[in-house]
Amino acid sequence: MAEKEIALLKTQIARLDEKKFDLEAWKNHTEIFLERIFGKDSPKLKMIHNLHYDYSSWSLRDTYAGGSTKDKDPVRIQAKEILGAIITELETLGLPRGKQEKLKMKELLDDELTGRQVKEIDTLLSSDDPEKTEKVAKILETIPVENLAATIAKLLTS
């Protein structure tokens, strides 16, 4: 399942209750996590990005008139609802399909490669190098054919 991802998002929900809450900093952290979990084009990422305070005088008066602002803060309430829905989705459906397969493949390759090779591949995958596919292939060529066949078989049967 997606325990680590859920734990990250629950931490972000807890940060919404901090006394010195900074919306922009919170959004930046949350967007980094959501991009890693769901990808750059996720509508969930856009929902967090679009959170903002409405500084019109009527809005402020109605929201903050008497009482704790934290409990009535519409941005914090909306942020909690969004992250709550995402957590429910992850608990119910798990990680997006492509993510699960990628993680499984990475896990299996980690068993066959040295730590240095794994770091090289990670660096290449996150780079904009136009030749990254060829460079990753070159690293994978070092895996003996019988181990590669066993790795592919494990991937197909899992």
Side-chain angles (χ1 to χ4, degrees):
M1 204 169 83
E3 289 90 8
K4 291 178 185 176
E5 291 81 0
I6 291 169
L8 276 174
L9 297 177
K10 285 183 177 179
T11 301
Q12 288 305 100
I13 289 175
R15 286 188 61 213
L16 288 167
D17 293 328
E18 290 177 353
K19 197 167 188 106
K20 292 190 175 199
F21 176 70
D22 179 350
L23 177 63
E24 290 307 312
W26 180 89
K27 283 171 40 174
N28 289 336
H29 278 96
T30 307
E31 287 173 3
I32 289 168
F33 301 146
L34 292 178
E35 183 177 323
R36 182 172 171 98
I37 298 168
F38 296 103
K40 286 182 179 184
D41 298 324
S42 170
K44 296 163 183 66
L45 194 65
K46 290 178 181 122
M47 290 169 77
I48 295 296
H49 185 76
N50 290 333
L51 289 174
H52 66 281
Y53 284 105
D54 181 5
Y55 289 109
S56 71
S57 61
W58 291 106
S59 173
L60 289 174
R61 184 206 63 182
D62 293 344
T63 302
Y64 301 112
S68 172
T69 59
K70 190 170 50 174
D71 298 335
K72 296 180 182 179
D73 185 335
V75 174
R76 291 185 197 204
I77 291 169
Q78 189 175 14
K80 282 181 183 179
E81 289 296 321
I82 292 168
L83 291 185
I86 292 170
I87 289 170
T88 302
E89 176 186 343
L90 290 171
E91 288 172 340
T92 308
L93 304 174
L95 288 170
R97 194 82 174 136
K99 276 280 192 208
Q100 284 179 325
E101 292 166 358
K102 231 179 190 178
L103 287 173
K104 184 67 175 172
M105 173 75 87
K106 182 128 178 40
E107 206 175 276
L108 291 171
L109 285 175
D110 286 350
D111 294 340
E112 301 298 329
L113 299 169
T114 65
R116 186 174 148 260
Q117 289 171 317
V118 170
K119 286 180 185 177
E120 283 180 52
I121 288 177
D122 287 342
T123 303
L124 283 168
L125 293 177
S126 62
S127 76
D128 293 330
D129 188 341
E131 297 175 4
K132 69 179 166 185
T133 303
E134 294 82 13
K135 290 178 179 178
V136 170
K138 195 108 176 133
I139 294 169
L140 294 177
E141 286 174 359
T142 63
I143 299 174
V145 174
E146 59 275 359
N147 293 13
L148 203 50
T151 301
I152 293 170
K154 288 177 192 172
L155 187 63
L156 292 172
T157 58
S158 66

